[in-house]
Amino acid sequence: MQIIEVPVVIVGAGPAGIATAGCLNKLRISNIVLERDDCPVSLWRKRAYDRLKLHLGKDFCSLPHYPFPSDFPNFVPRVDFLRYIDSYIAHFNISINYNCSVDSAFIDQSNGKWRLLVTNNSSGADKIYEAEFLVVASGENSEEYIPNIKGLENYQGESMHCSKYLNGREMYKKNVLVVGCGNSGMEIAYDLSTWGAYTSIVVRSQVHYFTKEMVYAGMLMLKHFMVDKVDKMMVLMSKLKYGNMFKYGLTRPKEGPFALKIKGGTTPTIDVGCIEKIKKGKVKVYPGISSIKEGKVVKFVDGQHAHFDAIIFATGYKTNVLKWLKDYKNLFNENGMPKPSYPNHWKGEHGIYSAGFSKRGLEGISFDAKKIANDINFTLTSRVNQITS
């Protein structure tokens, strides 16, 4: 079996893996990116709905050492973001091996290096990669997550994860239930209603909601004011814009939006028009699902029943790290997330790093990539200085 030796192996060619490779290449540190799909940022390229845009202003979303073009809109559409990624890869001459699934990664006790067993999805050929440094950049969004709902296996309508949803063209005049009230859930519900579907959405918990312009203003204010003051301003703006939404099935958390984000990675929902549709009765809000009954009937926790032709699960993703990383305890916990909390989450023992696990979006990815590249550079430079001194 062919053995390929390289100083740094990066697993995953999403934004985190690409950003880390770009930072390493800027420091002239050789690396290779392994990607299981046949393209970079496959989540954005293959598993995102048509109307998707970056929910934060481009000033907070660029990858390291490469700002967005000045002619790009402030809230960058999906297609333009893909153009930017392709340009970033070309600019930093990033080397990506596609169709490469990492079956296992562990520390080789004979030499202390990371050994990765990799299968080519196209040819079926196996290779071994050996590296002193391993960057886990497969991210928080590796696999679709659909909750275990009683009776779902017998549901006779169409059900899908939101990663399969492109637009609502085929849902015209159908009864559609969106499960999840995060950014994807709210935007998909809005899109479905716009396409003429009879749309409902499940909102199980309290949620903050703002326009993207409000969030952009809040991000700018955080540069100058404390979180609690900014949160008070954000909630006030939301109340002035939307009023009390309790009668429509929406309640705000007591804790502020940015405090919640810092505390546990809970992101406020950015409204693209769904709140107005909820007010007008175009989108109906339900509480959590209790079970799915015969045929296409969904029962909710408050006792209501309703018939739906389709269910779209905007219920997020989960990491797949524990499936292939055998010596994960050097950095990761039993849930496949870094043990240390932000801002110390990016580095483990024995040359392992994590990129894209901070729950802070593209800004967090940029932070991780620069930290990792600088730390590897420091280690290698220190070693050379010791040898030459």
Side-chain angles (χ1 to χ4, degrees):
M1 191 180 297
Q2 183 182 4
I3 299 178
I4 301 170
E5 295 187 35
V6 63
V8 187
V9 168
I10 302 168
V11 179
I18 288 167
T20 305
C23 289
L24 288 168
N25 284 357
K26 194 171 190 297
L27 295 169
R28 295 181 174 85
I29 299 172
S30 179
N31 66 89
I32 190 72
V33 182
L34 302 179
E35 168 57 42
R36 65 182 177 179
D37 218 316
D38 60 0
C39 62
V41 290
S42 61
L43 186 65
W44 279 81
R45 206 174 295 267
K46 293 183 175 183
R47 295 185 285 279
Y49 46 93
D50 291 343
R51 60 170 291 115
L52 179 64
K53 295 181 180 180
L54 292 179
H55 290 123
L56 297 179
K58 63 182 181 182
D59 294 346
F60 301 100
C61 295
S62 62
L63 299 186
H65 315 298
Y66 199 71
F68 281 100
S70 59
D71 61 341
F72 272 32
N74 193 30
F75 299 96
V76 179
R78 169 176 165 265
V79 173
D80 286 336
F81 181 66
L82 292 174
R83 284 172 48 208
Y84 168 78
I85 289 291
D86 291 340
S87 178
Y88 191 92
I89 292 170
H91 179 80
F92 289 102
N93 195 28
I94 295 170
S95 178
I96 305 174
N97 286 0
Y98 295 109
N99 297 304
C100 288
S101 291
V102 179
D103 300 319
S104 66
F106 55 91
I107 297 173
D108 188 335
Q109 297 301 324
S110 67
N111 58 17
K113 292 185 176 181
W114 286 95
R115 175 169 281 222
L116 292 83
L117 305 182
V118 178
T119 299
N120 186 292
N121 301 328
S122 299
S123 66
D126 295 327
K127 292 181 181 179
I128 294 175
Y129 287 79
E130 277 196 352
E132 181 176 354
F133 305 101
L134 171 63
V135 180
V136 179
S138 50
E140 306 158 328
N141 302 327
S142 299
E143 295 183 354
E144 303 161 357
Y145 172 73
I146 294 179
N148 186 19
I149 297 174
K150 183 181 178 182
L152 179 59
E153 68 278 5
N154 298 319
Y155 176 64
Q156 294 179 12
E158 182 182 1
S159 67
M160 70 176 80
H161 189 268
C162 65
S163 61
K164 303 292 193 298
Y165 178 85
L166 295 178
N167 58 59
R169 185 188 302 273
E170 303 300 323
M171 299 295 180
Y172 177 67
K173 287 196 174 181
K174 290 184 179 181
N175 290 305
V176 185
L177 178 66
V178 179
V179 181
C181 63
N183 287 324
S184 295
M186 283 285 198
E187 189 159 5
I188 288 171
Y190 171 81
D191 191 57
L192 285 163
S193 179
T194 302
W195 281 98
Y198 303 119
T199 309
S200 301
I201 187 170
V202 169
V203 179
R204 292 191 309 154
S205 55
Q206 296 176 323
V207 60
H208 283 295
Y209 37 90
F210 308 96
T211 65
K212 58 182 182 291
E213 290 80 11
M214 289 179 189
V215 173
Y216 183 69
M219 298 284 283
L220 292 176
M221 285 191 288
L222 283 174
K223 294 182 177 181
H224 307 285
F225 302 102
M226 299 294 289
V227 171
D228 60 337
K229 289 186 178 180
V230 176
D231 275 347
K232 287 177 182 177
M233 288 295 297
M234 294 293 293
V235 172
L236 177 60
M237 285 192 290
S238 181
K239 287 180 178 180
L240 290 173
K241 168 73 174 176
Y242 300 110
N244 189 334
M245 293 292 293
F246 178 78
K247 66 179 180 180
Y248 301 105
L250 299 178
T251 58
R252 297 181 179 90
K254 291 183 179 179
E255 197 165 1
F258 288 118
L260 283 173
K261 176 68 175 171
I262 293 168
K263 188 176 181 179
T266 303
T267 304
T269 295
I270 295 175
D271 172 48
V272 297
C274 191
I275 301 295
E276 186 64 25
K277 285 186 173 287
I278 290 172
K279 283 184 172 182
K280 291 181 177 180
K282 299 290 186 181
V283 175
K284 184 173 181 178
V285 175
Y286 284 100
I289 297 174
S290 170
S291 62
I292 295 178
K293 298 297 184 181
E294 65 284 345
K296 302 179 181 180
V297 177
V298 176
K299 181 181 179 182
F300 298 93
V301 294
D302 62 354
Q304 292 186 81
H305 294 73
H307 172 280
F308 294 100
D309 301 301
I311 302 175
I312 299 172
F313 289 95
T315 45
Y317 296 82
K318 58 185 179 181
T319 176
N320 71 350
V321 168
L322 300 190
K323 289 186 176 180
W324 57 269
L325 184 59
K326 304 309 176 186
D327 288 326
Y328 67 88
K329 292 182 180 179
N330 290 296
L331 179 56
F332 292 88
N333 61 25
E334 300 293 337
N335 295 319
M337 295 296 289
K339 291 178 186 176
S341 57
Y342 179 90
N344 303 310
H345 62 286
W346 55 275
K347 181 179 180 180
E349 299 174 350
H350 302 294
I352 189 171
Y353 300 89
S354 71
F357 287 85
S358 68
K359 296 185 178 180
R360 282 168 168 75
L362 290 165
E363 192 173 32
I365 282 171
S366 185
F367 172 90
D368 294 347
K370 288 184 282 189
K371 283 284 190 181
I372 292 167
N374 288 337
D375 192 72
I376 292 174
N377 186 54
F378 176 80
T379 301
L380 295 176
T381 303
S382 298
R383 185 180 303 159
V384 171
N385 290 340
Q386 286 179 350
I387 294 171
T388 56
S389 63

